Amino acid sequence: MTASDTSKPIKVAVAGISGRMGKAFVQAFFNDPVIRIVGAWGRENAEYVGLDIGQVAEVAGGARAGILVSSGFIECVAACSPDVILDVTQAEAAWRTATSAIGKGIRPVIGTSGLSQTHLKELAILAEKNNVGTMVVPNFSVGAVLMMEFARQAGRFIPNVEVVEMHHTQKIDAPSGTAMHTANKLAESRSHYNAKRVEEKELMTGARGAVHASGVRVHSLRLPGMISHQEVLFGSEGELLSIRHDSFNTKCFIEGERMAIQHVMTQKKLVVGLDQILFART
Ligand SMILES: NC(=O)c1ccc[n+]([C@@H]2O[C@H](COP(=O)([O-])OP(=O)(O)OC[C@H]3O[C@@H](n4cnc5c(N)ncnc54)[C@H](OP(=O)(O)O)[C@@H]3O)[C@@H](O)[C@H]2O)c1
């Protein structure tokens, strides 16, 4: 399907079908008239290869799609020729998939976190060279994107800020993609935060968190009971500004996933963040 052909449904294959995000995506778009799920895969040699995607994604009522989970990217592309790959797996796998997909003219929408700045630079070059729209979306939730944008704006006025991100204990990478993206957004407003006031001494390594190139401090909490939360704290003499976002379930990602998939069809280069879509509209 070409970028200009908007009359047809967009054929999407899901990488990471058996995961929390993959299942939620399939459940949300199972019978969607615009975003048509045509294939999926997950971990290599997984026990669910060959099963119906409706079964693996635990779609309500036990509905079946008549589409079987493939054993990998190559097999899936051969079976269903997707326009877009929605990737919610693990960083190295997402990177390999995206580079192969771009080479075949298939547009990746990467929700997977943990891609490095080097990965992003290489993806930008590859996407532009091949004229293939590519999106990396650190957070599909509109509320989270607004939290990052409000933080960026506050950074223009308040030079002291620390980010606290809080997630469930299954999360592998730290800091979260959202925290990294927040620090990058803050750096758009000011090149340096948190000017040194005293010579600090950490009695436990890491006590003061990780430091972004802009001086923004990032702290990662991993606790049972948490889902996905972030607070951006700005301190100024006599006041504290706290900008917080909480995701309670995967429903908050659906609208952003739809936006990203539709947007990537119109692009010929790398786009990072849902903010590029949301604020381009206003
Ligand atoms: N952008 C956003 O808004 C957003 C929101 C939440 C999470 N995330 C990110 O999305 C990713 C997935 O999150 P999740 O909560 O769904 O994780 P999850 O429940 O652990 O699911 C991960 C999925 O990836 C598969 N997988 C693991 N290694 C793989 C490999 N080498 N090749 C192919 N598939 C592989 C897993 O298969 P098995 O089940 O067989 O192991 C599973 O299907 C994470 O990076 C997370 O940080 C992004």
Side-chain angles (χ1 to χ4, degrees), residues 16 18-21 42-43 48 89 93 111 113 137-140 171 253:
S18 59
R20 193 176 68 102
M21 290 292 284
R43 198 174 18 89
Y48 46 81
T89 58
S113 56
V137 185
N139 204 314
F140 286 113
K171 187 163 183 61
F253 302 126

Side-chain angles (χ1 to χ4, degrees), residues 67-254:
I67 298 165
L68 306 183
V69 174
S70 300
S71 53
F73 167 77
I74 301 281
E75 296 76 9
C76 185
V77 167
C80 69
S81 308
D83 300 311
V84 172
I85 284 165
L86 187 275
D87 194 302
V88 277
T89 58
Q90 170 266 339
E92 273 309 313
W95 163 248
R96 279 196 306 275
T97 298
T99 50
S100 306
I102 293 170
K104 292 179 183 296
I106 303 168
R107 301 163 177 87
V109 170
I110 306 169
T112 303
S113 56
L115 289 186
S116 66
Q117 290 302 314
T118 310
H119 280 149
L120 292 185
K121 278 184 195 147
E122 289 182 24
L123 275 185
I125 293 166
L126 204 59
E128 201 152 345
K129 188 174 141 206
N130 289 275
N131 285 325
V132 175
T134 301
M135 279 204 76
V136 173
V137 185
N139 204 314
F140 286 113
S141 136
V142 171
V145 175
L146 290 175
M147 174 251 310
M148 290 185 260
E149 174 60 18
F150 297 156
R152 186 188 68 79
Q153 291 182 25
R156 287 172 53 207
F157 305 101
I158 309 178
N160 285 82
V161 59
E162 306 215 2
V163 177
V164 183
E165 57 98 339
M166 298 154 267
H167 282 86
H168 54 86
T169 50
Q170 298 305 305
K171 187 163 183 61
I172 299 168
D173 46 285
S176 68
T178 302
M180 297 280 283
H181 197 54
T182 306
N184 290 337
K185 297 279 293 174
L186 284 163
E188 289 173 15
S189 291
R190 184 185 295 274
S191 62
H192 204 81
Y193 290 88
N194 301 328
K196 199 190 281 186
R197 297 188 179 205
V198 291
E199 204 56 55
E200 290 181 348
K201 187 175 167 195
E202 277 188 342
L203 302 180
M204 280 173 74
T205 305
R208 288 289 290 116
V211 193
H212 183 261
S214 62
V216 173
R217 299 242 171 207
V218 180
H219 310 264
S220 298
L221 278 56
R222 298 290 176 262
L223 288 169
M226 293 208 159
I227 302 170
S228 174
H229 319 265
Q230 180 169 291
E231 197 160 350
V232 187
L233 297 120
F234 289 88
S236 194
E237 292 308 324
E239 62 180 342
L240 179 76
L241 170 65
S242 171
I243 303 172
R244 182 177 171 117
H245 178 261
D246 299 274
S247 295
F248 301 117
N249 60 48
T250 48
K251 289 200 168 69
C252 64
F253 302 126
I254 296 169

